[in-house]
Amino acid sequence: MAELVLRATVLNSYRRTTHVLAAAGFEVGRHSVRISSLSRGLDGLAVALGLPHGSDDLERVAIRPIAGKPGWVNFFRAPLRAVHRDARQRRVSPMSLRKSLHLKAMWTVGVFSFDPDTKELLLDRCPECLRPPTFSRSYGLQFCVRVDRYGVTRGRVDFRDYPQPNLEINDLEALDFCSGLIDPERSNGDGCRSLHPEIGAFEPSALFEGILAVACAITSRASHTSSTLERPSCLADYQRFTSEVLAKSARMFLDWPDGFHKIAADVRATAGDRSGYYGVRKELGPIVAISMDQHVDPLLKSLLKRRIATDMEGWEGAAHAIRTGTYRAGDDYVPVCQATKDFNLDSRTILRLVRSGALPFRQLKNAQKGPMMVDVAALKDIIAHRRETLSSTKVAVDFCVPRACVSALADMGLLTPAKPRLSVPYAMGYYEKSSVEDLRRRCEDMASRTPPPATAMTITKAVGRLLPKLTNPWPEIFLRIIAGQLEVWCVGGKSLMASLAVRDAAALQFLYDAVSSSLAPDIVFTQQDAAGVLKTTPVIVNQLVREGFLSRKPTVTELGAFEREFILTSEITERFSALGQKLRWRDVPRILRAAGIQPYVLEQKKTLVWQRREVEPLLAAA
């Protein structure tokens, strides 16, 4: 269609194709319409061109999109991806123009840099001005539109005076097979019937797209590690599709299945240049990408997958190469994913062991992605160690005491420390599991099973009401319970000190006379422990850290300074409750604001932080 409009432009003494399109009823502006994309108004164009059979003649040459197949066009009854065509610029064969002044549709297919009939390389730029000829202006199909040889506007360069060299190629049969699949002047119907039955069942357009996919695979860079094909993104990128590459790709289908295995051997020979561990993606990665490409026929992709599996099984070097994801010769090291299944551990625990240095591992340093192999024997020792010991965090939860106070129980001989195998933040300690269970059993044996008094309260609650927060009365309490000097009742519960109750808070008055049990000022708290000290939640502690009230690893000194200066709503509510005023948390801000006390508001959760010096007089007056 582009040639018809261009020819009408010359015969009617026009210089721009937009003049012909305007006569046909098209709205044209400063720039010409892309003639090859015209799909409407063909009746008016047929009248303007004077075609005897009307728009029927244009319908036969119109290249329209295929319904239900985005990105594909009907290229003279052969489906073709629109990206392979470039109808904005003209490419011509000077020798072909000498025989007949007609443009060929195959010259618009960017894959081919030659004329399929004459095998002459296509001329894509004017030899004089070095500019590509277009369809916007014309002095004729065979002339350049910009060069003025005689100094007047009728001057031009005749492309027929500049013949190009002919193509030199060894496998001309394969190249003709490739171009003949979509060439409207030729047909490879007979050739397709002589192919292998697995290949001959496909349509010519499917084979042509398969040939281009193979060309993409064998010309892809070694650094291209994506699972998608490295396809051309513009017309200039088609330069890598040389005639030799196209012939080699077409030969794979002509000699199927031996041709496939030959291509696979060539791709495998460059596997060492690709990153990663040996396996199907490293050895045949570009070919595997073909089997996953969205533009390749689904049945052809299935056929390629089967051939890939056959090639991997029949390769001569299969006995000497390891292609499994584990990439190991023995069972002394296994990948993390396998270790999680074999030892019933989550991957985060194993990676934490690796980062701490407790678990040896192996990993390729220069690979972008590679499995981490962990020592099986060391992991078994660590698991055995975990079965025999408990961390200080678990001991603190089991006893319902602050984690910072657990080490004092070991100093008094109540717990037996164990050598830790895992180094984690805050110098976490480990204790023999048997000693922890023995201490709990000894305390529970001393508890009375009779109903507790009406004034009874758990030891945890009594300590919270009676003593300052940053003290450690727990060694003295444990010793008195074991010795029978502190009467306790069993009230049920999972944690030890929350399941044992005393008569009332006064039962712990002996702690005032005990030796000073303040915590060491350099002890570091977790945010969970800090929440217990401040009688709030870890979420609020995290907010205090973000707002700068506390550091990420608060110490005893830091928590003490915060306690002396600030007070939270939770503690105020508890203080009012101890004075006999049952208040809800939401009532406290209203009472304090009515007294003229304004808080510092933490964003997001709207947590309130109060100045202790302003709140204490109100509590004393209550």
Side-chain angles (χ1 to χ4, degrees), residues 308-326:
I308 289 172
T310 303
D311 185 83
M312 293 294 290
E313 293 174 357
W315 180 46
E316 294 179 355
H320 307 288
I322 301 173
R323 298 195 194 90
T324 61
T326 55

Side-chain angles (χ1 to χ4, degrees), residues 390-401 406 415 433 435-441 444 478 493-499:
L390 291 175
S391 65
S392 58
T393 300
K394 292 185 177 180
V395 174
V397 172
D398 190 31
F399 287 168
C400 196
V401 300
V406 174
L415 295 177
K433 187 176 181 179
S435 66
V436 176
E437 295 175 347
D438 180 67
L439 179 59
R440 176 163 187 151
R441 179 185 53 78
E444 290 177 343
F478 273 95
K494 294 183 179 180
S495 299
L496 179 60
M497 290 303 163
S499 65

Side-chain angles (χ1 to χ4, degrees), residues 130-196:
L130 302 179
R131 294 179 180 178
T134 65
F135 291 95
S136 61
R137 296 185 300 172
S138 178
Y139 294 101
L141 302 179
Q142 71 277 29
F143 294 117
C144 176
V145 299
R146 293 187 176 91
V147 173
D148 188 346
R149 179 188 299 176
Y150 304 105
V152 294
T153 57
R154 293 187 301 273
R156 49 199 175 262
V157 171
D158 194 336
F159 294 140
R160 295 173 296 181
D161 297 336
Y162 297 90
Q164 300 298 302
N166 288 337
L167 196 65
E168 295 182 2
I169 185 171
N170 296 325
D171 197 352
L172 187 59
E173 178 190 7
L175 188 63
D176 286 339
F177 170 74
C178 176
S179 61
L181 291 172
I182 62 169
D183 192 346
E185 298 183 16
R186 296 187 294 143
S187 175
N188 268 349
D190 297 336
C192 290
R193 284 193 292 270
S194 64
L195 296 173
H196 189 278

Side-chain angles (χ1 to χ4, degrees), residues 122-134:
L122 295 178
L123 187 66
D124 59 354
R125 291 182 179 275
C126 173
E128 298 291 339
C129 68
L130 302 179
R131 294 179 180 178
T134 65

Side-chain angles (χ1 to χ4, degrees), residues 256 260 290-291 300-308:
W256 189 272
F260 172 82
I290 300 176
S291 66
L300 181 56
K301 290 193 290 186
S302 301
L303 178 60
L304 288 173
K305 290 179 181 178
R306 294 195 298 270
R307 284 297 171 185
I308 289 172

Side-chain angles (χ1 to χ4, degrees), residues 445-616:
D445 290 344
M446 301 301 298
S448 174
R449 304 295 173 178
T450 60
T455 58
M457 64 177 60
T458 63
I459 298 178
T460 303
K461 184 179 291 187
V463 169
R465 288 189 177 183
L466 190 66
L467 297 175
K469 299 175 183 178
L470 296 176
T471 57
N472 186 11
W474 299 108
E476 186 69 22
I477 293 176
F478 273 95
L479 290 174
R480 295 236 177 185
I481 292 176
I482 295 173
Q485 299 176 3
L486 179 61
E487 187 179 12
V488 293
W489 284 265
C490 182
V491 294
K494 294 183 179 180
S495 299
L496 179 60
M497 290 303 163
S499 65
L500 300 180
V502 293
R503 185 177 300 277
D504 51 26
L508 300 181
Q509 288 289 341
F510 65 88
L511 294 175
Y512 287 123
D513 301 329
V515 179
S516 175
S517 56
S518 299
L519 294 174
D522 57 345
I523 291 181
V524 179
F525 283 83
T526 63
Q527 294 186 13
Q528 180 76 30
D529 294 336
V533 172
L534 300 178
K535 297 183 179 180
T536 185
T537 63
V539 176
I540 294 180
V541 173
N542 187 262
Q543 278 190 285
L544 294 173
V545 171
R546 288 201 303 266
E547 294 290 337
F549 287 92
L550 297 173
S551 65
R552 194 172 62 88
K553 301 176 181 179
T555 61
V556 172
T557 303
E558 188 177 351
L559 287 176
F562 179 84
E563 281 280 291
R564 288 190 296 271
E565 186 173 357
F566 301 102
I567 186 171
L568 300 178
T569 305
S570 56
E571 182 181 350
I572 297 174
T573 305
E574 187 174 343
R575 294 275 297 273
F576 273 118
S577 178
L579 296 174
Q581 299 184 27
K582 299 295 183 180
L583 297 177
R584 296 171 295 183
W585 278 29
R586 63 183 181 183
D587 296 331
V588 172
R590 176 177 51 82
I591 296 174
L592 296 182
R593 284 192 172 102
I597 303 175
Q598 297 299 326
Y600 180 86
V601 182
L602 302 182
E603 295 300 328
Q604 294 182 350
K605 298 294 183 180
K606 303 300 181 183
T607 304
L608 305 181
V609 180
W610 310 86
Q611 290 284 344
R612 184 177 292 273
R613 65 176 182 272
E614 297 178 353
V615 177
E616 287 294 346

Side-chain angles (χ1 to χ4, degrees), residues 63 65 116 148 218 233 236 240 292 296 302 448 565:
I63 299 178
D148 188 346
I218 63 180
S233 58
R240 57 189 249 241
M292 302 169 61
V296 179
S302 301
S448 174
E565 186 173 357

